[in-house]
């Protein structure tokens, strides 16, 4: 009887004695031709990818990452933040991509809600000036939303009714929040701004109630201003630090 | 098939630098140095000349065109080439569902006078190849590298990403498994 080690060693020796299987000469020629073609192609690509070009690409990639990070960070920025102007740019882009009346209404109501939140935050930080701007912009958004509703009344009354219902609910919610704020602040300027905002919201409701013909008989532009003087330049105010 | 030798990785370095600069002669030397070995390695795993040829070409193409990746590997070029071959083999298994493997049952094993012992000397190469393919992936790899490719335990360890001790233990278990596989075939 042989030991296990001896048996395994014999088996190992037998494995070592196995004749290596070699590729055919034809396979080797074919292999080299294919590898050579790939190596040539790779060398061409490498020569195109100059170090300076790589550096530029890396810089562009870094810039893209930086911008993406700033965009993400700006989404929740407040009027007293350095990133707030970027938020306005992104909101403008969003507005340009809202095509249907329903999307446009959602866009304006969403911005109105955002402005109200910003106004509350600014009041909490005693920045009445920025709160005033946010509330003014809130009114602009509600007016724009009202004009979207009004414009649909001539073309699609059923849709207009549905949009108006959403607008009414949104304004009611905002007004409730504004009333709450009114009871909390003591600053006279802040109180005046809130009162003005509530009046503006009521005015937006009236605008939405009016038939389309009262607005000159045609549909309003994509982003009409709340004061009826033309399209809004920006959906949110420019902060003054 | 030329032995790989311990100095192979040192010899490869200037050639690799030349290939990086687009020197086709250097690429040819590396191709000649590794193609047969890789073909042999893949054939031992798959048992089909056509597949071995394709995967060996694929391995050499990747090795010689992706040298920018090799820079960061921190291993010998030879080990890197074997790893590429190994990964290509595993990918092939996945794609094929191991359908190309030769079933062990088809082998005919010789019988020793002592039924407890294998007539190792009488085993044909094909018997051994087929029994080998019944082992686990790692067991096949270690036996092929150590005995078919005649690499040292250190070289095999670098290729497999294991310690030398782990490779030696794996080799011992693999030989035991191979013996049992061959015995099982003999007893059927």
């Amino acid at each position: 009887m042989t030991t296990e080690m001896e048996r395994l060693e014999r088996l190992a020796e037998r494995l070592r004695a196995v004749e290596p299987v070699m590729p055919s000469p034809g396979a080797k020629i074919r292999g080299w031709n294919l590898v050579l073609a790939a190596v040539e192609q790779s060398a061409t690509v490498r020569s195109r990818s100059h170090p300076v070009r790589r550096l530029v690409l890396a810089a562009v990639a870094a810039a893209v990452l930086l911008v993406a990070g700033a965009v993400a960070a700006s989404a929740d920025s407040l009027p007293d933040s350095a990133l707030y102007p970027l938020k306005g740019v992104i909101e403008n882009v969003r507005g340009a991509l809202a095509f249907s009346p329903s999307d446009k209404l959602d866009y304006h109501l969403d911005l109105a809600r955002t402005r109200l939140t910003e106004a509350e935050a600014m009041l909490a930080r005693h920045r009445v000036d920025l709160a005033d701007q946010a509330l003014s912009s809130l009114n602009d958004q509600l007016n724009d939303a009202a004009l979207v509703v009004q414009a649909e009344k001539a073309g699609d009354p059923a849709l207009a009714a549905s949009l108006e219902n959403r607008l009414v609910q949104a304004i009611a919610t905002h007004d409730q929040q504004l009333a709450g704020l009114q009871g909390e602040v003591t600053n006279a300027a802040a109180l005046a701004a809130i009162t003005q905002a509530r009046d503006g919201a009521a005015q937006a409701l009236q605008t939405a109630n009016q038939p389309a013909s009262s607005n000159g008989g045609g549909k309003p532009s994509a982003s009409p201003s709340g004061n009826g003087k033309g399209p809004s330049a920006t959906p949110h105010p420019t902060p003054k630090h | 098939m030329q032995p790989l030798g311990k100095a192979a990785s040192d010899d490869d370095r200037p050639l690799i630098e030349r290939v990086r600069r687009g020197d086709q002669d250097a690429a040819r030397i590396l191709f000649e140095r590794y193609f047969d070995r890789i073909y042999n390695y893949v054939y031992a795993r798959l048992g089909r000349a056509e597949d071995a040829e394709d995967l060996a070409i694929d391995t050499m193409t990747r090795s010689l065109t992706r040298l920018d990746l090799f820079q960061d590997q921190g291993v010998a070029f030879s080990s890197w080439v074997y790893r590429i071959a190994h990964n290509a083999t595993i990918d092939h298994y996945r794609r094929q569902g191991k359908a190309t493997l030769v079933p062990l049952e088809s082998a005919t094993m010789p019988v020793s006078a002592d039924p407890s012992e294998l007539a190792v000397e009488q085993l044909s190469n094909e018997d051994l190849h087929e029994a080998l393919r019944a082992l686990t992936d790692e067991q096949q790899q270690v036996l092929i590298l150590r005995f078919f490719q005649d690499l040292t335990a250190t070289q095999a360890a670098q290729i497999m990403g294991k310690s030398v001790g782990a490779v030696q233990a794996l080799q011992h278990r693999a030989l035991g498994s191979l013996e049992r596989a061959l015995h099982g075939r003999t007893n059927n």
Side-chain angles (χ1 to χ4, degrees):
Chain A
M1 288 287 284
T2 52
T3 64
E4 184 195 10
M5 283 302 292
E6 287 170 340
R7 286 197 328 269
L8 296 185
E9 187 50 43
R10 276 175 53 208
L11 187 55
E13 282 306 315
R14 178 64 190 89
L15 286 173
R16 282 194 187 95
V18 171
E19 280 294 310
V21 181
M22 305 297 276
S24 68
K28 212 163 170 178
I29 292 168
R30 190 174 83 88
W32 170 241
N33 287 337
L34 290 170
V35 169
L36 178 62
V39 168
E40 281 175 345
Q41 194 181 4
S42 168
T44 310
V45 171
R46 268 204 306 274
S47 66
R48 281 183 197 150
S49 182
H50 196 264
V52 172
R53 197 176 161 190
R54 286 186 189 177
L55 202 64
V56 170
L57 285 174
V60 168
V64 166
L65 283 175
L66 198 67
V67 169
V71 165
S74 74
D76 296 323
S77 66
L78 290 168
D80 59 352
S81 157
L83 289 174
Y84 192 64
L86 187 58
K87 186 178 184 178
V89 173
I90 295 162
E91 287 177 351
N92 280 332
V93 172
R94 271 186 58 205
L97 296 174
F99 297 110
S100 71
S102 182
D103 286 347
K104 285 177 188 170
L105 184 77
D106 285 343
Y107 168 69
H108 291 302
L109 293 183
D110 188 40
L111 290 197
R113 191 166 48 247
T114 304
R115 297 291 92 85
L116 182 52
T117 305
E118 289 168 2
E120 283 180 313
M122 290 304 98
L123 287 173
R125 293 179 190 181
H126 306 291
R127 290 299 305 268
V128 178
D129 54 333
L130 294 179
D132 185 26
Q133 284 180 39
L135 290 172
S136 173
S137 178
L138 160 70
N139 282 152
D140 287 347
Q141 294 304 328
L142 292 178
N143 258 313
D144 286 352
L147 288 170
V148 171
V149 174
Q150 196 187 59
E152 282 309 306
K153 286 193 169 172
D156 189 344
L159 175 63
S162 165
L163 297 177
E164 187 173 1
N165 186 38
R166 280 155 61 187
L167 176 64
V168 169
Q169 284 180 5
I171 287 178
T173 306
H174 294 333
D175 192 59
Q176 216 171 358
Q177 272 181 267
L178 286 168
L181 271 178
Q182 216 167 12
E184 291 169 5
V185 297
T186 52
N187 182 293
L191 276 171
I194 294 169
T195 305
Q196 198 176 351
R198 294 187 71 185
D199 290 346
Q203 181 61 42
L205 268 183
Q206 284 180 14
T207 304
N209 274 325
Q210 287 168 4
S213 56
S214 69
N215 190 38
K219 288 189 175 188
S221 58
S223 182
S225 73
N227 55 21
K229 290 175 186 171
S232 301
T234 174
H236 82 136
T238 305
K240 292 167 188 165
H241 297 284
Chain B
M1 195 163 67
Q2 292 175 344
L4 196 55
K6 288 176 183 172
S9 57
D10 293 332
D11 293 347
D12 290 340
R13 275 188 203 124
L15 290 169
I16 290 164
E17 285 310 312
R18 283 170 56 192
V19 175
R20 282 197 180 116
R21 293 194 296 267
D23 186 337
Q24 293 175 2
D25 292 337
R28 181 66 191 252
I29 296 169
L30 286 173
F31 176 85
E32 291 288 344
R33 187 172 288 174
Y34 288 103
F35 184 73
D36 288 358
R37 308 187 66 86
I38 295 302
Y39 177 91
N40 181 262
Y41 174 82
V42 179
Y43 180 84
R45 299 297 309 271
L46 303 178
R48 283 171 57 94
E50 303 84 11
D51 293 339
E53 188 183 317
D54 287 345
L55 291 194
I57 292 171
D58 186 42
T59 299
M60 292 313 300
T61 303
R62 288 190 205 187
S63 305
L64 295 174
T65 58
R66 304 305 306 273
L67 288 171
D68 50 334
L69 295 178
F70 168 64
Q71 233 171 1
D72 303 320
Q73 299 294 310
V75 295
F77 180 70
S78 55
S79 301
W80 190 59
V81 177
Y82 273 107
R83 284 185 189 180
I84 292 173
H86 177 70
N87 291 337
T89 310
I90 299 298
D91 284 346
H92 181 82
Y93 277 151
R94 286 188 189 129
R95 282 199 305 273
Q96 302 289 317
K98 290 202 174 190
T100 55
L101 293 180
V102 180
L104 187 61
E105 289 72 22
S106 65
T108 309
M109 303 293 170
V111 181
S112 164
D114 181 351
S116 69
E117 283 193 31
L118 274 174
V120 168
E121 293 76 14
Q122 294 174 41
L123 291 168
S124 72
N125 290 348
E126 200 50 36
D127 291 337
L128 288 164
H129 270 119
E130 288 173 3
L132 184 75
R133 287 182 207 117
L135 305 186
T136 67
D137 179 65
E138 281 194 332
Q139 288 177 342
Q140 286 184 52
Q141 199 182 7
V142 74
L143 293 184
I144 292 169
L145 292 174
R146 293 285 283 120
F147 303 121
F148 289 0
Q149 301 274 314
D150 203 24
L151 299 186
T152 64
T154 307
Q155 287 171 321
Q158 198 179 39
I159 291 166
M160 298 182 73
K162 292 180 181 294
S163 67
V164 173
V167 162
Q168 286 167 336
L170 178 64
Q171 176 187 318
H172 183 80
R173 286 197 303 274
L175 283 170
S177 297
L178 182 66
E179 186 186 44
R180 283 191 295 279
L182 290 164
H183 255 306
R185 180 61 200 138
T186 309
N187 294 335
N188 284 339

Short mmCIF file of all heavy atoms in Angstrom, two decimals, chain B residues 40 42 66 72 90 107 148 164 172 176:
data_model
loop_
_atom_site.label_atom_id
_atom_site.label_comp_id
_atom_site.label_asym_id
_atom_site.label_seq_id
_atom_site.Cartn_x
_atom_site.Cartn_y
_atom_site.Cartn_z
N ASN B 40 -2.79 26.74 -24.51
CA ASN B 40 -2.72 25.49 -23.75
C ASN B 40 -3.56 25.57 -22.48
O ASN B 40 -4.29 24.64 -22.12
CB ASN B 40 -1.26 25.20 -23.42
CG ASN B 40 -1.09 23.91 -22.65
OD1 ASN B 40 -0.98 23.92 -21.44
ND2 ASN B 40 -1.11 22.80 -23.37
N VAL B 42 -6.15 27.58 -21.86
CA VAL B 42 -7.59 27.64 -22.15
C VAL B 42 -8.08 26.28 -22.67
O VAL B 42 -9.16 25.82 -22.31
CB VAL B 42 -7.90 28.76 -23.18
CG1 VAL B 42 -9.38 28.79 -23.49
CG2 VAL B 42 -7.47 30.11 -22.64
N ARG B 66 -4.52 46.87 -23.87
CA ARG B 66 -4.97 47.54 -22.64
C ARG B 66 -3.83 47.67 -21.64
O ARG B 66 -4.03 47.50 -20.44
CB ARG B 66 -6.16 46.77 -22.01
CG ARG B 66 -7.34 46.56 -22.93
CD ARG B 66 -7.87 47.88 -23.52
NE ARG B 66 -8.19 48.88 -22.52
CZ ARG B 66 -9.37 48.95 -21.91
NH1 ARG B 66 -10.32 48.11 -22.22
NH2 ARG B 66 -9.58 49.88 -21.01
N ASP B 72 -1.43 49.81 -13.53
CA ASP B 72 -1.87 49.97 -12.15
C ASP B 72 -2.09 48.64 -11.43
O ASP B 72 -2.61 48.61 -10.33
CB ASP B 72 -3.19 50.78 -12.14
CG ASP B 72 -3.01 52.12 -12.81
OD1 ASP B 72 -1.96 52.73 -12.59
OD2 ASP B 72 -3.90 52.52 -13.54
N ILE B 90 -13.98 32.06 -17.75
CA ILE B 90 -15.18 32.10 -16.90
C ILE B 90 -16.34 32.72 -17.68
O ILE B 90 -17.47 32.21 -17.64
CB ILE B 90 -14.91 32.94 -15.62
CG1 ILE B 90 -13.79 32.31 -14.79
CG2 ILE B 90 -16.17 33.09 -14.79
CD1 ILE B 90 -14.06 30.92 -14.28
N ALA B 107 -15.28 8.98 -20.57
CA ALA B 107 -13.90 8.50 -20.50
C ALA B 107 -13.84 7.02 -20.14
O ALA B 107 -14.70 6.51 -19.43
CB ALA B 107 -13.13 9.31 -19.46
N PHE B 148 0.52 21.53 -15.90
CA PHE B 148 0.52 21.66 -17.37
C PHE B 148 1.39 22.85 -17.79
O PHE B 148 2.07 22.80 -18.80
CB PHE B 148 -0.90 21.87 -17.90
CG PHE B 148 -1.78 20.66 -17.82
CD1 PHE B 148 -1.31 19.46 -17.30
CD2 PHE B 148 -3.09 20.69 -18.27
CE1 PHE B 148 -2.13 18.35 -17.22
CE2 PHE B 148 -3.90 19.59 -18.20
CZ PHE B 148 -3.43 18.41 -17.66
N VAL B 164 1.05 31.73 -1.17
CA VAL B 164 1.70 30.50 -1.63
C VAL B 164 1.17 29.31 -0.83
O VAL B 164 0.89 28.24 -1.38
CB VAL B 164 3.24 30.62 -1.48
CG1 VAL B 164 3.92 29.30 -1.79
CG2 VAL B 164 3.76 31.71 -2.40
N HIS B 172 -3.02 20.36 -3.12
CA HIS B 172 -3.15 19.05 -2.46
C HIS B 172 -4.60 18.55 -2.54
O HIS B 172 -4.85 17.39 -2.90
CB HIS B 172 -2.71 19.17 -0.99
CG HIS B 172 -2.73 17.86 -0.26
ND1 HIS B 172 -1.72 16.93 -0.37
CD2 HIS B 172 -3.66 17.32 0.57
CE1 HIS B 172 -2.03 15.87 0.36
NE2 HIS B 172 -3.19 16.09 0.95
N GLY B 176 -6.21 15.31 -4.72
CA GLY B 176 -7.10 14.33 -4.08
C GLY B 176 -8.42 14.21 -4.82
O GLY B 176 -8.92 13.11 -5.06
#
